[in-house]
């Protein structure tokens, strides 16, 4: 694994409050803001820019362990050979594309259908490869899931 993809605490001066998540889609890092100008930095895989969350602020409305995954209608329309067979969903577990945990992003009380979640494909970290969500190594999403509280702010740049 690329050493730059190992979770670590880094200097991170920001005006965001501790407990905020900041995602840098271009650099492919997610930061969990800590007190004192520090943050936990996680490497992420993100969706291609055309399908990625457009940026801005959202709220982590809820968290889930071993979440159930259902492809969106646009995913099925875009790639029916890949996603149509999962139209009824996939139960949580090691083979689920959302991995071990998920954080659900809402804007103005409405589900964005974008998630911060784990992956069972570690080679995707650091790349623009997902259907639009923000994915972390399973061990990293477990760590982040334990740190984040529902209602936390997430900023996607």
């Amino acid at each position: 694994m690329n050493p730059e993809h190992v979770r670590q605490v880094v200097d991170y001066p920001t005006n965001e409050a501790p407990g905020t998540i900041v995602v840098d889609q271009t650099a492919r890092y997610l930061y969990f803001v800590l007190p004192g100008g520090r943050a936990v930095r996680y490497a992420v895989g993100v969706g291609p820019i055309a399908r990625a969350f457009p940026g801005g602020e959202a709220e982590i409305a809820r968290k889930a362990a071993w979440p159930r995954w259902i492809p969106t209608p646009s995913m099925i329309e875009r790639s029916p050979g890949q996603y149509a067979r999962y139209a009824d969903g996939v139960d949580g577990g090691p083979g689920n594309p959302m991995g071990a945990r998920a954080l659900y992003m809402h804007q103005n009380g409405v589900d964005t259908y974008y998630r911060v979640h784990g992956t069972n494909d570690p080679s995707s970290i650091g790349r623009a490869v997902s259907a639009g969500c923000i994915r972390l190594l399973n061990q990293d999403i477990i760590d982040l899931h334990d740190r984040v509280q529902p209602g936390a702010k997430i900023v996607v740049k």
Side-chain angles (χ1 to χ4, degrees):
M1 183 164 77
N2 180 335
E4 289 295 312
H5 294 169
V6 175
R7 173 184 35 179
Q8 57 190 290
V9 176
V10 297
D11 290 329
Y12 190 72
T14 180
N15 292 325
E16 299 295 345
T20 300
I21 297 169
V22 179
V23 179
D24 183 335
Q25 293 185 95
T26 304
R28 298 193 183 97
Y29 286 112
L30 179 151
Y31 299 88
F32 180 77
V33 179
L34 301 170
R38 308 278 285 164
V40 180
R41 185 184 78 185
Y42 305 88
V44 299
V46 296
I49 210 66
R51 293 195 307 259
F53 183 77
E57 295 182 7
E59 174 183 303
I60 301 301
R62 71 181 188 92
K63 312 184 319 179
W66 296 110
R68 181 172 172 73
W69 174 71
I70 302 171
T72 64
S74 65
M75 291 169 72
I76 294 170
E77 182 179 324
R78 189 172 51 249
S79 299
Q82 183 176 0
Y83 297 116
R85 65 182 173 229
Y86 303 117
D88 292 329
V90 177
D91 288 335
N96 183 305
M98 286 184 66
R101 305 287 184 273
L103 307 173
Y104 294 75
M105 298 167 54
H106 287 201
Q107 280 184 321
N108 303 314
V110 177
D111 191 348
T112 64
Y113 295 101
Y114 290 98
R115 314 287 185 241
V116 177
H117 64 80
T119 182
N120 50 23
D121 180 9
S123 69
S124 68
I125 300 303
R127 300 177 50 213
V129 294
S130 77
C133 293
I134 300 155
R135 63 170 69 172
L136 291 81
L137 296 168
N138 273 329
Q139 63 265 29
D140 287 347
I141 191 62
I142 290 169
D143 181 81
L144 181 62
H145 180 272
D146 289 346
R147 294 174 188 271
V148 172
Q149 298 303 313
K153 178 179 170 184
I154 181 168
V155 180
V156 181
K157 300 177 182 183

